[in-house]
Amino acid sequence: MRRPNIVLILADDLGYSDIGCYGGEIRTPNLDRIGRSGVRLSQFYNTARCSPSRASLLTGLHPHQTGIGVLAGNGAPGGYPGSLNDRCVTVAEVLRDAGYATGMSGKWHLSGPLWEPADSWPTRRGFADFFGTLSGCGSYYDPATLYRGEVDASAETRDPQFFYTDAITDHAVEFIGREAAAGRPFFAYVAYTAPHWPLHAPQEDIAGYDGVYSAGWDELRARRLDRLRAEGLLGAESALSAPDPAQPRWAAAPDQAWEARRMQVYAAQVERMDRGIGRILDRLEASGVSDDTLVVFLSDNGGCAEMLPLGDPEEFRAKRHIVPAATREGAELRVGNIPGIDPGPEDTYASYGPAWANLSNTPFRLYKRWVHEGGIATPFIVHWPAGGLTAGRIVRTPFQLTDVLPTLLAAAGVDYPREYRGRAVPHLEGRTMVPALRGASVPDTPLFWEHLGNAAVRRGRWKLVREHAGPWELYDMDTDRSELTDLAERRPDLVAELATAYQCWAQRVGVISREEAR
C-alpha cells in the first residue's frame, strides 16, 4: 500500500479563535473548507512559545529534552543550550530514512548559530530540501537569515514583489509538485511566520478589512464566542473571560481608528497565509494526490501580547539581529506602536498589543508565554480523505504537541527508532491520535507544560496551573475551560497530588527552574 503524503502547516502566534472555522471573522476559506470537511480538535495544546513548540512538534518530546526549554540561543551557563540536540530524532529524519522526500519551507528557529551551518540546521536534521529563515521573526519584505539549503538567499528579497508569506508558499508548492510528479511519498513542513509581528501586509489586503474592527475588541470577543459555540467547538463550560484589566475597554480606548488599523493588518496577514494554503491544496489536487495526503494545521502558541519596541530600538536590533536599520529603498525604519503611524508598509515595525491578542484568544485569558488556556490552546485541523477519518468530526479528547509525531508515523506506517545513528534516543512522550481522528473513544492521559516558570498539568477534567513562581490554581475543565473559578483552596488534596505529578515529570524531562538558572 502506498504511504500517504504529509503536509504539516504551522502558523506563528495565531490565536485559538482567529480563523473562520474556529469562530473568527478573518476570511480563511481554505482552512475553513478542510476544517469543516476534516476533523477539528477543540482541546489541542501547543507549548506556549515559538522554539519550544517547534522542538516538541518535530521530535515528539518535551522541549526541555531537546535542548530548547526557552528559545533558540545559548542560555549557558545556567540555562538550556538553545539548539536542537543530537539526543533527539526529528520526524524528517525518520521519514527520510523510510523513503520519504523531505522538504521544509519557512521558519526554523531551532538553531543557536544563525550565520554558519551547524548540526542543528534543518538541512542536517532530515530536510533534504529547505527554503526559509533560521531566526525567530523579521521583516516580511526583507527577512534576515534567509537560506536555500545552506546558501544565503537574501538577494532574493531585492525583487520588489518579494513578500515572505508568498515565498514560503511558492517553495512549498514547487516541492510538492516536483515530488508528486516523481511518484515518491513526501513530507512537507510549511512553517509560516504569519501572523507574528511585525505587522506587514500589502495595502490591498489591509483595505479588505476596512470597518471590520471598528466595533472594537469587547464586542468582537462576544461575537467570536457565539460563533465558537455555533461551530460546536465550545459550550457552556467556556464562558467569556473578563477583559484584560490592564487594557481599556473599547469605548474608552484612545486612537480607535489606529487601533482598528493594527487589527486590520493582522487579519490581512492571516488571510494571505490562508490564500497560500489554498494554493498548496490546489497543487495537491492538480497533482492527483489530494486524497492520499494527510494535511495538518495548527499554531505554535496563543495570541501574542508583546508590545514593540521591547526596550530601546537600537538595543532591540542588536539583540535580535533581525531588524534592518532601513528598508530596501533606504528609508528609516519606524520601530514601535505609535498612534498615527499606520502599520503595514515596509518602513514600519509594530505589533497589535494585548487587547487584540485577548480577542485572538477568545474566550480564554492570558497569552503566548503563559500556560493558561490563552497561551496554549490552538486550532488543530486534520484533513485526509483516504485516511478513514470521520468527516466533520470534532474531537474533544485533550492532546498536545508530543502526540503529533506519533500520529504522523502511525499514519505513514513507519516505526519510531530505538536508536539513531548509533545512539539511543528517548522514548516518545506522546501517543497516536489516529484512533480518535477515526471516531474511536480513547482514554485521557496526563499532559504537562513548563515555560519560563509557568507550569501546568492536566489530568482528565482537572488542570493545575501557576504563573511564574505564583501559587497553584486548580480548574475543572469540564465546567470552567476559561479558568475563571480557582478551586485550589477547596481541593488541597488534589492540588498536592497533581503538584507531585508535575514535579516528577519536571525532574524527569530536565526542566531548569528559574532559581537554578540564576
Side-chain angles (χ1 to χ4, degrees), residues 272-290:
R272 198 163 189 104
M273 175 184 67
D274 179 80
R275 199 176 303 151
I277 292 169
R279 288 177 55 207
I280 290 171
L281 299 175
D282 288 346
R283 178 53 58 93
L284 293 171
E285 185 70 32
S287 300
V289 298
S290 182

Side-chain angles (χ1 to χ4, degrees), residues 16-24 40 42 221-235 237-238 240 359-364 379 394 396:
Y16 182 78
S17 66
D18 277 328
I19 65 175
C21 63
Y22 275 77
R40 285 173 287 174
S42 66
R221 288 183 77 225
R223 293 180 192 175
R224 283 196 181 190
L225 179 56
D226 287 344
R227 288 192 293 266
L228 278 162
R229 288 175 172 165
E231 292 280 351
L233 287 158
L234 299 179
E237 80 292 336
S238 301
L240 191 66
L359 171 66
S360 288
N361 297 334
T362 301
F364 309 126
I394 294 174
R396 306 188 189 281

Side-chain angles (χ1 to χ4, degrees), residues 58 157 167 244:
L58 294 179
T157 67
D244 187 330

Side-chain angles (χ1 to χ4, degrees), residues 111-199:
S111 182
L114 298 180
W115 309 104
E116 295 293 336
D119 288 343
S120 55
W121 278 32
T123 45
R124 304 187 183 191
R125 297 311 303 259
F127 290 101
D129 188 283
F130 168 63
F131 169 81
T133 45
L134 301 172
S135 55
C137 62
S139 170
Y140 287 73
Y141 301 97
D142 187 13
T145 68
L146 183 65
Y147 287 85
R148 281 189 180 273
E150 296 184 1
V151 177
D152 183 355
S154 58
E156 298 183 27
T157 67
R158 295 171 192 155
D159 181 346
Q161 301 303 312
F162 181 91
F163 191 74
Y164 191 32
T165 301
D166 296 342
I168 291 170
T169 299
D170 291 343
H171 186 265
V173 167
E174 178 187 354
F175 170 79
I176 289 169
R178 183 177 68 245
E179 298 305 331
R184 276 208 300 169
F186 56 81
F187 169 57
Y189 174 39
V190 187
Y192 287 102
T193 54
H196 193 296
W197 50 259
L199 295 171

Side-chain angles (χ1 to χ4, degrees), residues 239-320:
L240 191 66
S241 62
D244 187 330
Q247 301 302 310
R249 302 302 295 264
W250 180 254
D255 306 303
Q256 287 187 353
W258 173 77
E259 287 284 9
R261 166 77 178 207
R262 292 207 285 173
M263 189 62 196
Q264 279 186 249
V265 182
Y266 178 92
Q269 290 177 302
V270 176
E271 184 175 3
R272 198 163 189 104
M273 175 184 67
D274 179 80
R275 199 176 303 151
I277 292 169
R279 288 177 55 207
I280 290 171
L281 299 175
D282 288 346
R283 178 53 58 93
L284 293 171
E285 185 70 32
S287 300
V289 298
S290 182
D291 285 356
D292 293 321
T293 300
L294 168 64
V295 178
V296 176
F297 173 84
L298 72 159
S299 175
D300 65 346
N301 45 249
C304 174
E306 294 166 351
M307 293 286 286
L308 300 180
L310 305 178
D312 177 76
E314 292 305 319
E315 181 182 0
F316 177 70
R317 291 189 183 102
K319 283 185 177 179
R320 294 178 176 267

